[in-house]
């Protein structure tokens, strides 16, 4: 099995590493999920989200509104109807978003301790320069910056916790970007390019997303993940099974993390989105060819495009917006 650092290098720039005892990765299946469209944060105070993200990440608010009844019902969260939300994007990419929706606080909720969407990984230009700025911010620094693969990789990353206890990774390619599978940032801090999903059974996560969306399975690794162990009060040497699924468009991935059996589903207030990273939205070619059980019939709340939401194997909310992208 690959080490974590080797795997993360493979997820980014080191595409020639061999996967032992697993099927070689290829894009021949043409995954029906084309790209990450949006990460949604369930936040007790969206004003804090706006303040932190605009000041320290240079994100821009492009919409302020309240959640419609149709959208709330589509999410299976009727009590979210009428709640305020903001929609933000980076200075470099104006059609991939981070959305913050107001939720009631959950007592004692801690990030990276429950199943579901657990982190947003954002591509950046120079993590060391950004980190110096982040140290002056209200974000809590929990790891890095460090180069992957024991310092031999050209990929460098750091991790932080935001105002809604959401985890963000800021990652950059320090080597030849023309040869990297990381997306090229169009601004100092650009768009989400990996969403990290945790659950109690890696096989179940990989099989569900791989089979339903024609995503190649087989990128697996095991390794210690110190920030997860710290959050869960485990030994830093605790080993986790992890995996990766690549979407069709370059620089769009889902990382799969298997948590210990002692972990539990994400708590949430009845009828509301869960706290932290509440939902991930992907573009899909055709909802009618997507054989998952949606919470409700598709709606047209995104500029006339159809969307629908399903509950995944770890209890996670995943939203699909129909948008054929070639």
């Amino acid at each position: 099995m690959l080490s974590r650092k080797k795997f993360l290098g493979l997820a980014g720039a080191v595409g020639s590493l061999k996967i032992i005892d697993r099927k070689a990765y290829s894009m021949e299946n043409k995954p029906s999920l084309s790209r990450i469209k949006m990460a949604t944060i369930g936040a007790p105070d969206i004003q804090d989200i706006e303040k932190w993200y605009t000041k320290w990440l240079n994100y821009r608010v492009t919409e302020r509104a309240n959640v419609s009844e149709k959208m709330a019902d589509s999410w299976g969260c009727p009590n979210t109807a009428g709640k305020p939300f903001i929609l933000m994007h980076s200075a470099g990419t104006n059609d991939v978003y981070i959305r913050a929706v107001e939720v009631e606080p959950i007592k004692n909720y801690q990030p990276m301790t429950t199943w579901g969407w657990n982190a947003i990984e954002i591509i950046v230009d120079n993590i060391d320069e950004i980190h110096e700025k982040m140290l002056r911010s209200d974000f809590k620094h929990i790891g890095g910056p460090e180069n992957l693969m024991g310092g031999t990789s050209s990929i460098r990353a750091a991790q932080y916790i935001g105002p809604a206890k959401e985890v963000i990774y800021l990652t950059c390619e320090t080597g030849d970007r023309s040869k990297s599978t990381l997306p090229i940032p169009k601004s100092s801090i650009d768009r989400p390019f990996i969403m990290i999903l945790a659950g109690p059974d890696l096989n179940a996560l990989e099989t569900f997303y791989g089979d339903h969306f024609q995503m190649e399975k087989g990128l697996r690794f095991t390794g210690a993940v110190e920030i997860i162990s710290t959050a869960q009060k485990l030994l830093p040497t605790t080993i986790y099974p992890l995996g990766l699924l690549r979407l069709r468009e370059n620089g769009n991935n889902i990382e799969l993390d298997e948590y210990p059996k002692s972990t539990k589903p994400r708590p949430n207030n009845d009828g509301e989105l869960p706290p932290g990273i509440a939902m991930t939205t992907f573009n899909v070619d055709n909802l009618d060819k997507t054989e998952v059980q949606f919470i409700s019939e598709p709606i047209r709340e995104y500029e006339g495009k159809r969307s629908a939401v399903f509950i995944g194997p770890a209890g996670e909310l995943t939203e699909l917006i129909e948008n054929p992208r070639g």
Side-chain angles (χ1 to χ4, degrees):
M1 302 294 284
L2 293 175
S3 70
R4 173 173 171 79
K5 289 182 178 179
K6 283 187 177 180
F7 171 83
L8 291 175
L10 177 60
V14 191
S16 61
L17 291 175
K18 185 178 181 181
I19 312 297
I20 300 174
D21 295 328
R22 299 291 296 181
K23 184 178 177 181
Y25 178 82
S26 75
M27 290 299 288
E28 293 179 358
N29 285 345
K30 299 290 186 184
S32 58
L33 297 181
S34 57
R35 66 168 180 169
I36 297 164
K37 179 65 175 178
M38 180 161 48
T40 296
I41 298 169
D45 190 335
I46 63 172
Q47 291 183 344
D48 281 346
I49 294 282
E50 178 176 352
K51 179 181 177 181
W52 292 25
Y53 279 69
T54 56
K55 182 175 181 178
W56 301 110
L57 301 183
N58 299 324
Y59 265 57
R60 303 171 178 180
V61 175
T62 188
E63 183 179 354
R64 306 174 197 274
N66 296 319
V67 177
S68 70
E69 288 189 11
K70 286 184 178 180
M71 189 169 287
D73 289 342
S74 174
W75 299 345
C77 301
N79 292 339
T80 304
K83 295 282 189 179
F85 73 86
I86 57 171
L87 195 66
M88 305 175 291
H89 62 75
S90 73
T93 303
N94 64 7
D95 65 344
V96 176
Y97 304 99
I98 293 177
R99 173 172 57 190
V101 180
E102 183 183 286
V103 298
E104 294 299 317
I106 297 289
K107 186 178 180 179
N108 299 325
Y109 169 68
Q110 294 299 321
M112 304 191 88
T113 62
T114 59
W115 309 339
W117 298 107
N118 267 287
I120 306 168
E121 188 157 2
I122 296 171
I123 190 70
V124 304
D125 185 47
N126 186 323
I127 183 55
D128 292 289
E129 289 183 359
I130 293 165
H131 179 62
E132 289 302 313
K133 179 180 178 181
M134 293 291 282
L135 288 177
R136 302 191 300 272
S137 78
D138 295 311
F139 283 90
K140 180 182 178 181
H141 172 229
I142 57 173
E146 64 178 351
N147 284 61
L148 306 184
M149 297 179 67
T152 62
S153 172
S154 57
I155 299 173
R156 190 166 175 82
Q159 299 82 34
Y160 310 86
I161 297 177
K165 297 185 178 180
E166 77 281 10
V167 176
I168 62 169
Y169 293 40
L170 302 181
T171 302
C172 74
E173 172 62 75
T174 65
D176 186 348
R177 292 178 178 177
S178 68
K179 297 180 180 179
S180 175
T181 56
L182 268 66
I184 296 175
K186 299 176 182 177
S187 57
S188 175
I189 302 173
D190 200 4
R191 64 171 177 87
F193 76 105
I194 295 178
M195 295 299 297
I196 299 175
L197 174 62
D201 187 338
L202 177 58
N203 287 328
L205 295 175
E206 184 185 65
T207 297
F208 181 88
Y209 283 91
D211 289 354
H212 282 95
F213 301 106
Q214 299 78 53
M215 304 172 79
E216 192 73 25
K217 296 173 284 186
L219 283 177
R220 290 281 193 96
F221 65 103
T222 59
V225 188
E226 188 172 350
I227 59 174
I228 297 177
S229 295
T230 298
Q232 297 185 19
K233 296 180 172 57
L234 301 174
L235 292 174
T237 54
T238 301
I239 299 299
Y240 301 88
L242 302 102
L244 185 84
L245 295 171
R246 282 179 171 162
L247 280 64
R248 190 170 67 239
E249 296 187 19
N250 180 54
N252 289 265
N253 308 277
I254 302 171
E255 181 182 324
L256 307 174
D257 294 359
E258 183 175 294
Y259 278 8
K261 303 302 181 185
S262 58
T263 54
K264 297 179 180 180
R266 182 78 48 84
N268 68 297
N269 292 303
D270 185 43
E272 287 196 344
L273 287 171
I277 313 299
M279 181 166 58
T280 297
T281 302
F282 300 99
N283 282 133
V284 67
D285 296 336
N286 189 330
L287 286 178
D288 294 332
K289 294 182 179 180
T290 303
E291 296 181 357
V292 294
Q293 183 66 49
F294 293 123
I295 293 171
S296 67
E297 291 296 316
I299 60 174
R300 294 183 180 271
E301 295 287 282
Y302 297 110
E303 298 178 335
K305 294 181 174 66
R306 295 198 304 163
S307 69
V309 177
F310 64 85
I311 300 173
E316 75 280 7
L317 292 174
T318 301
E319 183 176 51
L320 306 179
I321 298 177
E322 189 176 70
N323 183 24
R325 292 178 55 83

